[in-house]
Amino acid sequence: MTLVEINFDGIIGPSHNFAGLSPGNLAATRNAGRIAHPRRAALEGIAKMRATLALGLVQGILPPPPRPNHRWLASLSTDYARAAPHLRAQALSASAMWAANAATVSPAPDSGDGRCHLTVANLVTMPHRSHEWPDTLAMLELAFADPAFAVHGPVPPPFGDEGAANHMRLAPSHGAPGIELFVHGAGGGPFPARQHRAASEAVAHAHGLDPARTLFVQQSTAAIAAGAFHNDVVAVANAHVLFAHEQAFEDRAGLHADLARLAPWAELIEIAADRVSLDEAIASYLFNAQLVTLPDGTMALIVPGEAREVPSVCAYLDALVAGNGPIRRIEMVDVRQSMANGGGPACLRLRVVADPATVDPRFLVDAARLDEIAAVIEAHWPEAIAITRIGDPALVARIEEARRKLLETLGIVELIYR
Ligand code: SUG
């Protein structure tokens, strides 16, 4: 059995809009009320997947959940026609596109029972995200039904869990046992700390992780206050490399010591604040890159185009690939519609280390499959959504029809009526 890393990207749903629903997410707040372009957004996501396929990586997809979420509204004793405007916006959000928040994944070599464990994230801190998990869970149970996987329900509220966005794995190689780092917040000034330590601990227990190879690390209060609402905005790990801003963690020295003890083979690439400030790192989304191992064993960093627009970051990237380190290639992708809601390349994907043969093949894509998906998006995704139109029944009907067409094309009919 060959374990490889598979990137499962959330297909950006037809209801993508800018309602400004996430306090602490500076991009989303800044762009609240802008006209959104769901078709363009989804095609940007497809182009990113084409880029990773072209790098020789295995690519998967997670289709959008039903929006508006009628079940959630019904649980609040209302419906879309009668709901208050803020509830309508929350019910319509396409936020499940950010698949890094779908679940926490512990690959088989790390777990006690030799299975790959996934725990769906409860996302309880933000109302519009708190109703994602039942549909995400149904999808994960379908995609990962093989006995090679164990799919777990969410950690109960009030313990906030934001999934892989606050989780990192370091390992000598993807298929070898590694160490897992769970990053929680304990204060963020004016902004909520979305990941609670108790939730991280519950997930680590459920996955049967060895306590001797598991670290619980506090995200720095300064990072959250500066707009790093998830750890993956200031740090990313891949195989033996941890790429992080020096102000990402509250106890930097403690983390260095732990890594030296538990993972002497790990390589830390840290950016000093006087080279790239926390604000520049967050504005450019440099760390919300996908750090991937290419088939030749070298690493590439898949960054958003915005990274090149910040001079200090641009200079850093040039120096990074000119050096002799593990990252040899910078790949730029344009995911501007997602970025405007605070979601960079890494937010859009959930990484699963597994044998692709054990995954339901309907959730894996090649270039031809992406062409089919792109054709559905071209034909059915709304071109634009203004926030003033989200109560329009014609728009809602179009959004629902678009998702149905996609699931029919993918053959994932089990999820249509969810
Ligand atoms: O949870 N934005 C998302 C962005 C998530 C990014 N994911 C990672 N960093 N892994 C969030 O804040 C904005 C949606 C709106 O306002 O309509 C939003 O939910």
Side-chain angles (χ1 to χ4, degrees):
M1 174 166 84
T2 325
L3 298 182
V4 297
E5 180 179 275
I6 311 171
N7 285 281
F8 287 85
D9 277 44
I11 294 181
I12 298 175
S15 69
H16 161 66
N17 67 81
F18 296 118
L21 300 175
S22 275
N25 171 341
L26 304 182
T29 305
R30 195 169 50 240
N31 290 305
R34 242 178 72 177
I35 291 178
H37 296 280
R39 191 183 306 161
R40 189 191 308 161
L43 293 174
E44 287 173 356
I46 299 293
K48 176 168 93 70
M49 289 191 253
R50 286 199 175 104
T52 55
L53 279 180
L55 290 173
L57 306 175
V58 183
Q59 184 64 53
I61 49 163
L62 297 177
R67 292 292 176 268
N69 190 341
H70 297 297
R71 286 187 191 189
W72 181 65
L73 290 171
S75 74
L76 290 164
S77 302
T78 188
D79 60 32
Y80 201 71
R82 287 186 297 136
H86 68 281
L87 285 183
R88 264 192 203 161
Q90 288 162 0
L92 195 69
S93 177
S95 53
M97 69 171 82
W98 297 296
N101 302 116
T104 305
V105 185
S106 295
D110 297 353
S111 72
D113 62 2
R115 292 191 292 169
C116 174
H117 286 251
L118 299 95
T119 293
V120 71
N122 64 25
L123 297 167
V124 290
T125 306
M126 298 290 159
H128 69 291
R129 305 215 61 178
S130 68
H131 60 84
E132 286 177 30
W133 73 260
D135 292 301
T136 304
L137 180 59
M139 187 159 56
L140 296 177
E141 285 174 341
L142 205 55
F144 304 108
D146 189 277
F149 300 97
V151 178
H152 304 269
V155 171
F159 308 110
D161 179 20
E162 301 275 321
N166 279 65
H167 172 257
M168 299 185 292
R169 174 175 195 253
L170 287 166
S173 67
H174 290 314
I179 64 164
E180 299 200 10
L181 286 78
F182 291 80
V183 185
H184 59 274
F191 301 134
R194 297 202 206 178
Q195 181 75 34
H196 298 186
R197 182 175 173 132
S200 297
E201 288 174 347
V203 173
H205 282 300
H207 291 191
L209 300 181
D210 177 357
R213 291 191 285 123
T214 307
L215 290 174
F216 298 97
V217 183
Q218 188 189 330
Q219 188 179 2
S220 81
T221 302
I224 299 176
F229 53 94
H230 288 134
N231 172 65
D232 68 3
V233 175
V234 282
V236 58
N238 175 56
H240 67 287
V241 173
L242 173 58
F243 179 48
H245 193 272
E246 74 169 353
Q247 291 169 311
F249 308 107
E250 193 67 29
D251 178 12
R252 173 172 171 252
L255 176 62
H256 287 189
D258 285 339
L259 287 178
R261 192 169 44 85
L262 295 182
W265 36 262
E267 187 169 338
L268 177 60
I269 305 178
E270 205 177 48
I271 307 192
D274 61 9
R275 192 141 183 215
V276 174
S277 71
L278 211 43
D279 288 343
E280 288 168 328
I282 291 165
S284 66
Y285 259 42
L286 165 64
F287 294 99
N288 202 259
Q290 284 179 250
L291 181 57
V292 293
T293 304
L294 302 176
D296 70 3
T298 64
M299 291 192 194
L301 194 65
I302 305 174
V303 298
E306 284 83 345
R308 284 270 177 219
E309 291 164 13
V310 176
S312 62
V313 172
C314 192
Y316 178 82
L317 288 174
D318 288 339
L320 184 69
V321 282
N324 211 17
I327 303 175
R328 294 295 168 87
R329 177 168 176 171
I330 306 291
E331 192 73 21
M332 291 228 298
V333 290
D334 178 357
V335 286
R336 278 176 199 275
Q337 284 289 308
S338 168
M339 284 284 286
N341 252 337
C347 299
L348 286 164
R349 60 92 177 95
L350 181 69
R351 291 181 285 184
V352 179
V353 171
D355 176 354
T358 59
V359 176
D360 185 319
R362 295 173 297 173
F363 292 86
L364 296 174
V365 291
D366 56 15
R369 197 65 163 155
L370 287 179
D371 288 346
E372 287 171 12
I373 297 170
V376 176
I377 292 167
E378 296 269 14
H380 299 286
W381 260 232
E383 198 274 317
I385 296 184
I387 211 67
T388 48
R389 267 195 68 209
I390 66 168
D392 178 352
L395 174 68
V396 170
R398 176 148 198 207
I399 287 167
E400 293 184 322
E401 173 72 355
R403 173 177 180 269
R404 194 171 61 77
K405 292 280 188 211
L406 175 69
L407 290 175
E408 281 170 5
T409 299
L410 296 172
I412 310 180
V413 290
E414 298 95 316
L415 295 180
I416 288 181
Y417 297 110
R418 278 198 65 90

